[in-house]
Amino acid sequence: MSPLLQFLLLFLLSLLCFSHDCDAQVPVFACDVGANPSLAALPFCNATLDPLSRAKDLVSRLTLAEKISFMGHKTVDTPRLGIPAYNWWSEALHGVSFVGGGSHFSGLVPGATSFPQVLLTAASFNVSLFELIGEVVSTEARAMHNVGHAGLTFWSPNINIFRDPRWGRGQETPGEDPILTSKYAVAFVAGLQRNRHDPQKLKVAACCKHYTAYDVDNWKGVSRFTFNAIVTEQDMADTFQPPFKYCVTKGAAACAMCSYNKVNGKPTCGDPDLLSGVIRGQWNLNGYIVTDCDSVDVMYNAQRYTKTPEEAVALSLKSGLDLNCGTFVVEHAQNAISQGKLLEADVDKAITNTFKVLMRVGFFDGDPRKVGPYGGLGPKDICTPSNKQLALEAAHQGIVLLKNQDNILPLSPGSFSMAVIGPNAKATVTMLGNYNGLPCLYVSPLDGLSATVKTIYAPGCDYVTCNATSLHLEPAKAAAAQADVTVLVVGSDYTVEVEGLDRETLLFPGLQGQLIDEVTAASKGPVILVMMSGGPFDISAQLANPKIKGILWIGIPGQSGGQALADVIFGRYNPSKYLYIYTQSFCSFRYMHADNPSLTLSSLYTFSGGKSPFTWYHESFVQNVPMTDMRMRPDPATGYPGRTFRFYTGKPLFKFGHGLSYTKFTHLQVRAPRTLSLGLGEEHPCYSGNCNSISLASATERCAEMSFDVRLQVHNSGDMAGSHTVLLFNKPPRLHNAPKEQLVAFEKIFLEPGQRSSVAFCLDVCKDLSVADENGNWRVPLGSHVLSVGDLEHTFTLTVYSCPRLGPQPPTPLSDASFLSNPRGSPPKERRFDRD
Ligand SMILES: *[C@@H]1O[C@H](CO)[C@@H](O)[C@H](O)[C@H]1NC(C)=O
Ligand SMILES: *[C@@H]1O[C@H](CO)[C@@H](O)[C@H](O)[C@H]1NC(C)=O
Ligand SMILES: *[C@@H]1O[C@H](CO)[C@@H](O)[C@H](O)[C@H]1NC(C)=O
């Protein structure tokens, strides 16, 4: 977006601000004791009391009509109790957004740091980065809140599994793997919510969405509002539910959002098993459940699931809903109560949950500028140099190198000319993706590249949809024929893939394929193909084209995406001065590692090692597999190939986790047990050893708390520094229709040329080796498991042994006795976990 456009947008936004004062410089908060001293005596305004007592006190003071008014996302003010109107709906998927209206921009806060879209950040496989981004976003949110520009409740992150490459919202998610998605959820939520000054309180409240099995938006006439996802218990247990489980349990997120779709015939927002049973019951949510906007209305009007609006309201509240994004519940709750379908107690329960969260974020503590740890934050803390640097770094860390023939990349800067061609070469707002706000700045690919070399620009197509009218081949071919190097920046934008719009093909949109072919044929020098997109394309033709020497996927890279692209193309990387602390846990001990914040690189070039968080399929996949088929597992009887690297039986273009590097990393050796034995008491049905798998519920009961180390060395045997993600997969025995392999752990490390480092993973037998059976129950499969990292494999056998019914725990059978070094390497001489 040009500065002029941005100005115009701000102007328009300010005209739209009739419902609240957009130029407000004061925060919205309750219990303003300064203005109304009588409030001080009310227990709900007493910050020393616990959130639940305060919420209950507040509820006890409200009339039924007032209570109902708190059930929609836009509450009205209740002056007699000193409570102003509040908009629950703010978004911060990859930076504070204007979506929802709870947060907005103005002349006072013209922008906030806009990080890469989540899919690219996930490609960094850097858990510390996920958390740091969350932390910076929540700091900017708090700064905006202090000047009346942001709420305190954010409906982020989106942690649905990117199950099908066509999904328009895949860009918003951390990809197709439940473990990566879960780790992202936990880290990002921690970054958003963690209040370092008071663990009982929240910096801001995050929300895990969209619960659950929601990942069809609008495909060939199938709409998310009426889609009925048919999901097996098994897929539910090991694919769709884990991210939500981790987000709520380990991430302690203060909110979960139920989705629009139905799961096995029931709308998620009206399913007591999914809401009260699982989220609040099994996972013990400390927070609120909100609808997608406006799921209760959808349940009645679009799905015709209930006969009356009142029934829809009653069903959702009785199922465990606490807050309705929209007005439907507020409009119909009174009638539902009059008709006896709903009780006032149901309303009390719901608003107690929401008030409790508002207590925890400090909304009822008075002026946030005067109380609490974030009082000093303001516009000066938004778009700071270090925040902008982190957005740049995140894009850099995620970029995936898919082809690098003749080591064409990185290019050494010099006096050559570069043709920069393609509909995304001058991308600005396209670099932000769904759920954006206004950024601090834009650095388009053309801006980024032009800062280093002489460029000749020709768009080739005016739009990504690239039809015959918008295609301008000749100037693009002329530019490529003239320049020493050609960089083609192609891909998609929100006219191709976005919320409410799924793709129907993995081929490049419109005539972009022709543009690529013809420009490449005309080019004088090598071609580097850059894809800016929220998902994969079928790039088999481009991989086979010998003139296309380099291929990069840059996701939707955020405000500084073009700078990150240029830095990757030229091999530059300036790690930030952020103190990077991560905990690594081994079975024997835990330690903290603080990276040298002033890391200096000994070599000129470096690559930060993004890896694809999704599978790259051929076009035939989408032509043969309906997007609406939710099954993860293949069905040999019908030729259904299954989905994602865990199940897909076809040969993909690239597997999940694929990504080349400018340097060469070798995995030197594996040190892991050869056999593992699970202890069972004599009452256990598998005690005598005649089972092929053990139910996790029974195995964890006693003498089975087992963990073990897997250790290996990574060597940077190339001549450039770089970061590398070690992905540890396990192939379980083929029992219970288990995944053919699953990601069990990963760790990202940085290595100088020639440097070696030890990496160790502590695996938990029950947690990391188990699989969900056909009924969705977790079981530990006995027999042969194969661990793999890169091209290293290590096979071990899992068996059972009998342990006594009573008496002390037997010593773990995992003493050093059964370690085996992989035949391809020799065991490390000593156990060291720091860098060599
Ligand atoms: C707030 O609650 C605490 C703990 O019950 C109590 O000691 C204190 O007096 C209360 N403050 C006010 C202003 O009522
Ligand atoms: C190409 O797209 C533009 C803009 O979307 C449209 O106005 C035009 O009619 C299209 N041309 C053709 C040949 O389809
Ligand atoms: C992970 O991200 C942090 C923050 O950007 C960075 O300091 C660190 O170097 C990254 N780790 C690796 C191994 O690249």
Side-chain angles (χ1 to χ4, degrees), residues 546-557:
K547 280 187 86 177
I548 300 180
K549 301 265 183 216
I551 301 185
L552 293 162
W553 176 74
I554 65 168
I556 298 178

Side-chain angles (χ1 to χ4, degrees), residues 531-728:
M531 289 172 278
M532 185 185 291
S533 67
F537 295 104
D538 179 343
I539 52 168
S540 21
Q542 292 73 30
L543 284 167
N545 188 328
K547 280 187 86 177
I548 300 180
K549 301 265 183 216
I551 301 185
L552 293 162
W553 176 74
I554 65 168
I556 298 178
Q559 61 181 31
S560 293
Q563 168 86 51
L565 170 66
D567 287 347
V568 165
I569 284 184
F570 295 109
R572 294 180 302 236
Y573 185 38
N574 296 305
S576 74
K577 301 280 179 276
Y578 272 100
L579 189 62
Y580 158 47
I581 296 181
Y582 70 100
T583 53
Q584 216 171 1
S585 49
F586 302 99
C587 299
S588 37
F589 64 98
R590 216 165 222 292
Y591 85 120
M592 301 276 283
H593 173 82
D595 229 2
N596 180 353
S598 56
L599 185 68
T600 48
L601 301 175
S602 63
S603 58
L604 183 57
Y605 295 120
T606 164
F607 185 67
S608 47
K611 290 187 184 283
S612 179
F614 51 84
T615 301
W616 293 68
Y617 301 91
H618 289 94
E619 174 68 3
S620 57
F621 175 86
V622 299
Q623 295 313 325
N624 295 329
V625 175
M627 190 177 171
T628 44
D629 193 326
M630 296 295 286
R631 287 175 301 165
M632 297 300 296
R633 291 161 157 85
D635 179 3
T638 59
Y640 180 73
R643 295 170 176 279
T644 79
F645 79 98
R646 292 157 63 228
F647 300 103
Y648 181 53
T649 49
K651 197 171 155 36
L653 276 172
F654 298 112
K655 196 184 135 180
F656 167 90
H658 178 79
L660 304 171
S661 177
Y662 291 168
T663 187
K664 187 170 159 41
F665 292 102
T666 326
H667 302 113
L668 286 179
Q669 51 198 237
V670 169
R671 195 166 150 83
R674 185 193 346 220
T675 56
L676 285 169
S677 294
L678 201 59
L680 297 178
E682 61 194 26
E683 75 288 359
H684 196 283
C686 299
Y687 178 81
S688 51
N690 53 3
C691 294
N692 58 15
S693 67
I694 309 282
S695 124
L696 190 55
S698 72
T700 42
E701 253 166 38
R702 44 171 300 150
C703 49
E705 288 236 325
M706 288 177 45
S707 50
F708 64 101
D709 281 345
V710 173
R711 297 168 191 193
L712 56 129
Q713 283 213 333
V714 184
H715 180 206
N716 180 353
S717 53
D719 53 13
M720 293 180 205
S723 290
H724 175 64
T725 300
V726 180
L727 297 167
L728 178 67

Side-chain angles (χ1 to χ4, degrees), residues 321-398:
L321 185 75
D322 301 308
L323 183 70
N324 176 215
C325 177
T327 54
F328 198 80
V329 169
V330 173
E331 281 160 17
H332 300 287
Q334 178 60 64
N335 276 350
I337 291 173
S338 310
Q339 293 170 10
K341 297 192 166 73
L342 189 67
L343 301 174
E344 184 166 353
D346 297 321
V347 175
D348 289 354
K349 192 173 86 180
I351 61 175
T352 304
N353 286 330
T354 51
F355 285 141
K356 223 176 112 187
V357 170
L358 288 183
M359 300 294 166
R360 291 166 70 207
V361 292
F363 185 75
F364 285 91
D365 293 354
D367 191 336
R369 295 166 300 181
K370 299 195 183 118
V371 292
Y374 307 110
L377 296 174
K380 66 176 188 331
D381 301 290
I382 304 165
C383 290
T384 61
S386 56
N387 293 358
K388 291 191 282 193
Q389 165 72 17
L390 191 66
L392 168 64
E393 228 177 287
H396 197 284
Q397 288 194 38

Side-chain angles (χ1 to χ4, degrees), residues 22 80 113 122 186 277 315 371 411 432 434 462 473 481 526 533 557 598 782 815 825:
C22 283
R80 70 178 185 92
T113 309
V186 171
L315 175 66
V371 292
L411 303 176
L432 307 185
N434 255 5
D462 298 329
L473 272 178
S533 67
S598 56
L782 301 177
S815 51

Side-chain angles (χ1 to χ4, degrees), residues 47 51 54 86 88 134-135 138-139 141-142 145-146 151-154 156 186 188-207 247-256 285-288 353-365 368 371-375 377:
R54 296 174 72 188
Y86 178 71
W88 280 83
E135 192 152 359
S138 56
T139 298
R142 273 285 175 175
H145 178 67
N146 284 348
L152 294 168
T153 46
F154 291 85
S156 312
V186 171
F188 184 73
V189 167
L192 281 187
Q193 292 196 154
R194 189 193 302 110
N195 183 324
R196 294 185 186 277
H197 311 268
D198 182 353
Q200 301 308 310
K201 294 227 157 167
L202 300 169
K203 193 174 174 190
V204 301
C207 193
C247 196
V248 169
T249 58
K250 265 193 101 179
C255 163
L285 171 75
N286 179 14
Y288 68 104
N353 286 330
T354 51
F355 285 141
K356 223 176 112 187
V357 170
L358 288 183
M359 300 294 166
R360 291 166 70 207
V361 292
F363 185 75
F364 285 91
D365 293 354
V371 292
Y374 307 110
L377 296 174

